[in-house]
């Protein structure tokens, strides 16, 4: 069993983070009015996003996607299908469980909107995993 190349994990993580950023910006551009209307209807407080935390979250998520790909690569092989498998697994761990939690705790956001966001993020996470896996080499 070979050791994980952490330098390549971070390089791939940068590319994966960029792909995630593009996907999230596209989602926000398309759903902005619905998201803001739902927040107002739920009487959620207005927020001022912290760009430093947002960038850190993107970078850590991208690195996690590539690390997960590198971890399962010895079992499934260095193929694009392995990146898709690890991307779907990460989507379940990060997005789907969070969505179920938010629906269960009833934050006041419409369930359909939470599901739309979760479904939108699936191809974004898989594409980010593919991009990061493309960069990764042992």
């Amino acid at each position: 069993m070979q050791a994980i190349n952490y330098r390549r994990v971070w390089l791939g993580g940068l590319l994966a983070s960029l792909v995630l950023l593009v996907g999230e910006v596209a989602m926000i551009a398309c759903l902005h009015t619905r998201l803001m209307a739902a927040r107002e209807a739920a009487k959620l407080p207005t927020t001022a996003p912290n760009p430093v935390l947002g960038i850190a979250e993107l970078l850590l998520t991208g690195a996690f996607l590539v690390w997960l790909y590198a971890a399962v690569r010895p079992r499934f092989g260095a193929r694009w299908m392995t990146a898709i498998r690890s991307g779907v697994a990460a989507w379940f761990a990060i997005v789907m469980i969070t969505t179920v939690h938010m629906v269960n705790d009833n934050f006041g956001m419409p369930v359909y909107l939470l599901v739309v966001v979760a479904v939108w993020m699936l191809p974004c996470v898989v594409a980010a995993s593919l991009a990061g896996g493309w960069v990764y080499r042992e």
Side-chain angles (χ1 to χ4, degrees):
M1 185 169 164
Q2 293 184 357
I4 293 178
N5 183 347
Y6 286 102
R7 183 171 181 267
R8 285 293 191 153
V9 165
W10 284 108
L11 287 174
L14 286 173
L15 181 58
S17 298
L18 182 63
V19 171
L20 285 172
L21 178 64
V22 169
E24 288 179 8
V25 167
M27 177 190 62
I28 291 169
C30 290
L31 299 177
H32 179 72
T33 55
R34 288 184 183 159
L35 289 169
M36 291 301 112
R39 285 184 61 82
E40 287 178 23
K43 296 185 179 17
L44 294 174
T46 58
T47 61
N50 183 334
V52 173
L53 288 178
I55 291 169
E57 178 189 7
L58 273 174
L59 291 173
L60 289 172
T61 303
F64 173 71
L65 287 171
V66 180
W67 175 84
L68 184 60
Y69 167 76
V72 300
R73 185 178 155 158
R75 180 170 182 89
F76 295 111
R79 302 187 320 253
W80 58 272
M81 198 60 199
T82 303
I84 290 174
R85 284 181 179 141
S86 64
V88 170
W91 176 81
F92 269 103
I94 297 169
V95 178
M96 190 61 187
I97 291 173
T98 302
T99 302
V100 170
H101 176 72
M102 289 178 74
V103 168
N104 183 52
D105 286 353
N106 191 13
F107 284 111
M109 298 288 282
V111 173
Y112 83 91
L113 195 53
L114 295 172
V115 170
V116 166
V117 169
V119 169
W120 184 295
M121 288 307 297
L122 178 60
C124 297
V125 171
V126 169
S129 182
L130 282 165
W134 178 73
V135 171
Y136 182 78
R137 302 287 179 269
E138 289 181 341

PDB file of all heavy atoms in Angstrom, residues 81-103:
ATOM      1  N   MET A  81     -14.142   6.509 -12.563  1.00  0.00           N
ATOM      2  CA  MET A  81     -15.259   5.941 -11.800  1.00  0.00           C
ATOM      3  C   MET A  81     -14.973   5.979 -10.297  1.00  0.00           C
ATOM      4  O   MET A  81     -15.890   6.148  -9.490  1.00  0.00           O
ATOM      5  CB  MET A  81     -15.519   4.515 -12.276  1.00  0.00           C
ATOM      6  CG  MET A  81     -16.861   3.979 -11.903  1.00  0.00           C
ATOM      7  SD  MET A  81     -18.149   4.996 -12.623  1.00  0.00           S
ATOM      8  CE  MET A  81     -19.498   4.497 -11.598  1.00  0.00           C
ATOM      9  N   THR A  82     -13.717   5.848  -9.924  1.00  0.00           N
ATOM     10  CA  THR A  82     -13.334   5.945  -8.510  1.00  0.00           C
ATOM     11  C   THR A  82     -13.584   7.359  -7.998  1.00  0.00           C
ATOM     12  O   THR A  82     -14.080   7.544  -6.877  1.00  0.00           O
ATOM     13  CB  THR A  82     -11.854   5.555  -8.337  1.00  0.00           C
ATOM     14  OG1 THR A  82     -11.683   4.232  -8.847  1.00  0.00           O
ATOM     15  CG2 THR A  82     -11.422   5.604  -6.885  1.00  0.00           C
ATOM     16  N   ALA A  83     -13.265   8.359  -8.800  1.00  0.00           N
ATOM     17  CA  ALA A  83     -13.516   9.754  -8.411  1.00  0.00           C
ATOM     18  C   ALA A  83     -15.010  10.009  -8.278  1.00  0.00           C
ATOM     19  O   ALA A  83     -15.446  10.731  -7.370  1.00  0.00           O
ATOM     20  CB  ALA A  83     -12.891  10.706  -9.418  1.00  0.00           C
ATOM     21  N   ILE A  84     -15.803   9.419  -9.152  1.00  0.00           N
ATOM     22  CA  ILE A  84     -17.263   9.580  -9.052  1.00  0.00           C
ATOM     23  C   ILE A  84     -17.772   8.914  -7.777  1.00  0.00           C
ATOM     24  O   ILE A  84     -18.573   9.500  -7.040  1.00  0.00           O
ATOM     25  CB  ILE A  84     -17.962   9.021 -10.308  1.00  0.00           C
ATOM     26  CG1 ILE A  84     -17.662   9.909 -11.513  1.00  0.00           C
ATOM     27  CG2 ILE A  84     -19.465   8.884 -10.086  1.00  0.00           C
ATOM     28  CD1 ILE A  84     -18.184   9.385 -12.828  1.00  0.00           C
ATOM     29  N   ARG A  85     -17.306   7.704  -7.497  1.00  0.00           N
ATOM     30  CA  ARG A  85     -17.720   7.005  -6.266  1.00  0.00           C
ATOM     31  C   ARG A  85     -17.363   7.814  -5.021  1.00  0.00           C
ATOM     32  O   ARG A  85     -18.178   7.965  -4.109  1.00  0.00           O
ATOM     33  CB  ARG A  85     -17.049   5.641  -6.178  1.00  0.00           C
ATOM     34  CG  ARG A  85     -17.642   4.613  -7.066  1.00  0.00           C
ATOM     35  CD  ARG A  85     -16.907   3.296  -6.879  1.00  0.00           C
ATOM     36  NE  ARG A  85     -17.497   2.273  -7.720  1.00  0.00           N
ATOM     37  CZ  ARG A  85     -16.812   1.350  -8.361  1.00  0.00           C
ATOM     38  NH1 ARG A  85     -15.488   1.298  -8.249  1.00  0.00           N
ATOM     39  NH2 ARG A  85     -17.423   0.465  -9.098  1.00  0.00           N
ATOM     40  N   SER A  86     -16.137   8.304  -4.979  1.00  0.00           N
ATOM     41  CA  SER A  86     -15.732   9.062  -3.795  1.00  0.00           C
ATOM     42  C   SER A  86     -16.484  10.396  -3.715  1.00  0.00           C
ATOM     43  O   SER A  86     -16.808  10.862  -2.619  1.00  0.00           O
ATOM     44  CB  SER A  86     -14.218   9.281  -3.767  1.00  0.00           C
ATOM     45  OG  SER A  86     -13.798  10.079  -4.844  1.00  0.00           O
ATOM     46  N   GLY A  87     -16.795  11.007  -4.858  1.00  0.00           N
ATOM     47  CA  GLY A  87     -17.580  12.244  -4.867  1.00  0.00           C
ATOM     48  C   GLY A  87     -18.995  12.032  -4.360  1.00  0.00           C
ATOM     49  O   GLY A  87     -19.512  12.830  -3.573  1.00  0.00           O
ATOM     50  N   VAL A  88     -19.620  10.953  -4.780  1.00  0.00           N
ATOM     51  CA  VAL A  88     -20.971  10.643  -4.300  1.00  0.00           C
ATOM     52  C   VAL A  88     -20.946  10.334  -2.806  1.00  0.00           C
ATOM     53  O   VAL A  88     -21.823  10.785  -2.053  1.00  0.00           O
ATOM     54  CB  VAL A  88     -21.596   9.482  -5.113  1.00  0.00           C
ATOM     55  CG1 VAL A  88     -22.886   8.985  -4.478  1.00  0.00           C
ATOM     56  CG2 VAL A  88     -21.852   9.905  -6.551  1.00  0.00           C
ATOM     57  N   ALA A  89     -19.949   9.594  -2.362  1.00  0.00           N
ATOM     58  CA  ALA A  89     -19.818   9.289  -0.925  1.00  0.00           C
ATOM     59  C   ALA A  89     -19.639  10.585  -0.128  1.00  0.00           C
ATOM     60  O   ALA A  89     -20.258  10.757   0.934  1.00  0.00           O
ATOM     61  CB  ALA A  89     -18.648   8.344  -0.689  1.00  0.00           C
ATOM     62  N   ALA A  90     -18.810  11.489  -0.623  1.00  0.00           N
ATOM     63  CA  ALA A  90     -18.595  12.767   0.068  1.00  0.00           C
ATOM     64  C   ALA A  90     -19.875  13.592   0.071  1.00  0.00           C
ATOM     65  O   ALA A  90     -20.205  14.237   1.070  1.00  0.00           O
ATOM     66  CB  ALA A  90     -17.458  13.534  -0.592  1.00  0.00           C
ATOM     67  N   TRP A  91     -20.612  13.571  -1.048  1.00  0.00           N
ATOM     68  CA  TRP A  91     -21.887  14.305  -1.123  1.00  0.00           C
ATOM     69  C   TRP A  91     -22.851  13.783  -0.054  1.00  0.00           C
ATOM     70  O   TRP A  91     -23.493  14.569   0.628  1.00  0.00           O
ATOM     71  CB  TRP A  91     -22.495  14.178  -2.517  1.00  0.00           C
ATOM     72  CG  TRP A  91     -23.830  14.821  -2.643  1.00  0.00           C
ATOM     73  CD1 TRP A  91     -24.085  16.142  -2.846  1.00  0.00           C
ATOM     74  CD2 TRP A  91     -25.111  14.172  -2.569  1.00  0.00           C
ATOM     75  NE1 TRP A  91     -25.440  16.355  -2.906  1.00  0.00           N
ATOM     76  CE2 TRP A  91     -26.090  15.160  -2.739  1.00  0.00           C
ATOM     77  CE3 TRP A  91     -25.507  12.854  -2.384  1.00  0.00           C
ATOM     78  CZ2 TRP A  91     -27.452  14.867  -2.729  1.00  0.00           C
ATOM     79  CZ3 TRP A  91     -26.864  12.571  -2.376  1.00  0.00           C
ATOM     80  CH2 TRP A  91     -27.817  13.567  -2.546  1.00  0.00           C
ATOM     81  N   PHE A  92     -22.944  12.456   0.085  1.00  0.00           N
ATOM     82  CA  PHE A  92     -23.804  11.898   1.128  1.00  0.00           C
ATOM     83  C   PHE A  92     -23.349  12.350   2.503  1.00  0.00           C
ATOM     84  O   PHE A  92     -24.173  12.739   3.339  1.00  0.00           O
ATOM     85  CB  PHE A  92     -23.823  10.366   1.069  1.00  0.00           C
ATOM     86  CG  PHE A  92     -24.920   9.820   0.209  1.00  0.00           C
ATOM     87  CD1 PHE A  92     -24.629   9.348  -1.054  1.00  0.00           C
ATOM     88  CD2 PHE A  92     -26.239   9.793   0.638  1.00  0.00           C
ATOM     89  CE1 PHE A  92     -25.635   8.848  -1.871  1.00  0.00           C
ATOM     90  CE2 PHE A  92     -27.246   9.295  -0.163  1.00  0.00           C
ATOM     91  CZ  PHE A  92     -26.946   8.816  -1.425  1.00  0.00           C
ATOM     92  N   ALA A  93     -22.044  12.313   2.755  1.00  0.00           N
ATOM     93  CA  ALA A  93     -21.510  12.652   4.072  1.00  0.00           C
ATOM     94  C   ALA A  93     -21.655  14.137   4.393  1.00  0.00           C
ATOM     95  O   ALA A  93     -21.913  14.500   5.547  1.00  0.00           O
ATOM     96  CB  ALA A  93     -20.046  12.237   4.164  1.00  0.00           C
ATOM     97  N   ILE A  94     -21.482  14.984   3.399  1.00  0.00           N
ATOM     98  CA  ILE A  94     -21.475  16.421   3.656  1.00  0.00           C
ATOM     99  C   ILE A  94     -22.848  17.052   3.411  1.00  0.00           C
ATOM    100  O   ILE A  94     -23.394  17.748   4.268  1.00  0.00           O
ATOM    101  CB  ILE A  94     -20.415  17.122   2.779  1.00  0.00           C
ATOM    102  CG1 ILE A  94     -19.021  16.619   3.130  1.00  0.00           C
ATOM    103  CG2 ILE A  94     -20.489  18.634   2.946  1.00  0.00           C
ATOM    104  CD1 ILE A  94     -17.955  17.050   2.138  1.00  0.00           C
ATOM    105  N   VAL A  95     -23.403  16.834   2.243  1.00  0.00           N
ATOM    106  CA  VAL A  95     -24.603  17.563   1.824  1.00  0.00           C
ATOM    107  C   VAL A  95     -25.884  16.853   2.256  1.00  0.00           C
ATOM    108  O   VAL A  95     -26.766  17.471   2.860  1.00  0.00           O
ATOM    109  CB  VAL A  95     -24.596  17.778   0.294  1.00  0.00           C
ATOM    110  CG1 VAL A  95     -25.843  18.491  -0.159  1.00  0.00           C
ATOM    111  CG2 VAL A  95     -23.353  18.547  -0.129  1.00  0.00           C
ATOM    112  N   MET A  96     -26.012  15.590   1.941  1.00  0.00           N
ATOM    113  CA  MET A  96     -27.268  14.890   2.191  1.00  0.00           C
ATOM    114  C   MET A  96     -27.580  14.798   3.676  1.00  0.00           C
ATOM    115  O   MET A  96     -28.711  15.055   4.093  1.00  0.00           O
ATOM    116  CB  MET A  96     -27.217  13.498   1.557  1.00  0.00           C
ATOM    117  CG  MET A  96     -28.533  12.796   1.566  1.00  0.00           C
ATOM    118  SD  MET A  96     -29.713  13.767   0.613  1.00  0.00           S
ATOM    119  CE  MET A  96     -31.196  12.865   0.945  1.00  0.00           C
ATOM    120  N   ILE A  97     -26.580  14.454   4.489  1.00  0.00           N
ATOM    121  CA  ILE A  97     -26.834  14.354   5.927  1.00  0.00           C
ATOM    122  C   ILE A  97     -27.178  15.722   6.512  1.00  0.00           C
ATOM    123  O   ILE A  97     -28.068  15.839   7.360  1.00  0.00           O
ATOM    124  CB  ILE A  97     -25.631  13.703   6.646  1.00  0.00           C
ATOM    125  CG1 ILE A  97     -25.549  12.227   6.229  1.00  0.00           C
ATOM    126  CG2 ILE A  97     -25.732  13.853   8.155  1.00  0.00           C
ATOM    127  CD1 ILE A  97     -24.328  11.506   6.725  1.00  0.00           C
ATOM    128  N   THR A  98     -26.518  16.769   6.043  1.00  0.00           N
ATOM    129  CA  THR A  98     -26.835  18.120   6.505  1.00  0.00           C
ATOM    130  C   THR A  98     -28.254  18.509   6.114  1.00  0.00           C
ATOM    131  O   THR A  98     -28.987  19.104   6.910  1.00  0.00           O
ATOM    132  CB  THR A  98     -25.829  19.130   5.923  1.00  0.00           C
ATOM    133  OG1 THR A  98     -24.519  18.748   6.325  1.00  0.00           O
ATOM    134  CG2 THR A  98     -26.126  20.540   6.391  1.00  0.00           C
ATOM    135  N   THR A  99     -28.657  18.156   4.909  1.00  0.00           N
ATOM    136  CA  THR A  99     -30.008  18.480   4.448  1.00  0.00           C
ATOM    137  C   THR A  99     -31.053  17.756   5.288  1.00  0.00           C
ATOM    138  O   THR A  99     -32.048  18.357   5.712  1.00  0.00           O
ATOM    139  CB  THR A  99     -30.170  18.116   2.961  1.00  0.00           C
ATOM    140  OG1 THR A  99     -29.191  18.837   2.209  1.00  0.00           O
ATOM    141  CG2 THR A  99     -31.552  18.457   2.458  1.00  0.00           C
ATOM    142  N   VAL A 100     -30.840  16.478   5.538  1.00  0.00           N
ATOM    143  CA  VAL A 100     -31.778  15.721   6.385  1.00  0.00           C
ATOM    144  C   VAL A 100     -31.841  16.338   7.775  1.00  0.00           C
ATOM    145  O   VAL A 100     -32.924  16.482   8.359  1.00  0.00           O
ATOM    146  CB  VAL A 100     -31.366  14.227   6.446  1.00  0.00           C
ATOM    147  CG1 VAL A 100     -32.159  13.481   7.499  1.00  0.00           C
ATOM    148  CG2 VAL A 100     -31.550  13.585   5.079  1.00  0.00           C
ATOM    149  N   HIS A 101     -30.702  16.738   8.300  1.00  0.00           N
ATOM    150  CA  HIS A 101     -30.659  17.375   9.617  1.00  0.00           C
ATOM    151  C   HIS A 101     -31.459  18.678   9.606  1.00  0.00           C
ATOM    152  O   HIS A 101     -32.226  18.951  10.537  1.00  0.00           O
ATOM    153  CB  HIS A 101     -29.204  17.630  10.013  1.00  0.00           C
ATOM    154  CG  HIS A 101     -29.041  18.362  11.294  1.00  0.00           C
ATOM    155  ND1 HIS A 101     -29.288  17.788  12.521  1.00  0.00           N
ATOM    156  CD2 HIS A 101     -28.678  19.642  11.546  1.00  0.00           C
ATOM    157  CE1 HIS A 101     -29.070  18.675  13.474  1.00  0.00           C
ATOM    158  NE2 HIS A 101     -28.697  19.801  12.911  1.00  0.00           N
ATOM    159  N   MET A 102     -31.289  19.495   8.573  1.00  0.00           N
ATOM    160  CA  MET A 102     -32.003  20.765   8.502  1.00  0.00           C
ATOM    161  C   MET A 102     -33.504  20.556   8.360  1.00  0.00           C
ATOM    162  O   MET A 102     -34.297  21.299   8.944  1.00  0.00           O
ATOM    163  CB  MET A 102     -31.460  21.608   7.347  1.00  0.00           C
ATOM    164  CG  MET A 102     -30.064  22.142   7.612  1.00  0.00           C
ATOM    165  SD  MET A 102     -29.405  23.073   6.240  1.00  0.00           S
ATOM    166  CE  MET A 102     -30.343  24.575   6.383  1.00  0.00           C
ATOM    167  N   VAL A 103     -33.910  19.554   7.586  1.00  0.00           N
ATOM    168  CA  VAL A 103     -35.337  19.252   7.450  1.00  0.00           C
ATOM    169  C   VAL A 103     -35.887  18.765   8.792  1.00  0.00           C
ATOM    170  O   VAL A 103     -36.961  19.186   9.225  1.00  0.00           O
ATOM    171  CB  VAL A 103     -35.572  18.210   6.336  1.00  0.00           C
ATOM    172  CG1 VAL A 103     -36.990  17.672   6.371  1.00  0.00           C
ATOM    173  CG2 VAL A 103     -35.255  18.809   4.970  1.00  0.00           C
TER     174      VAL A 103
END
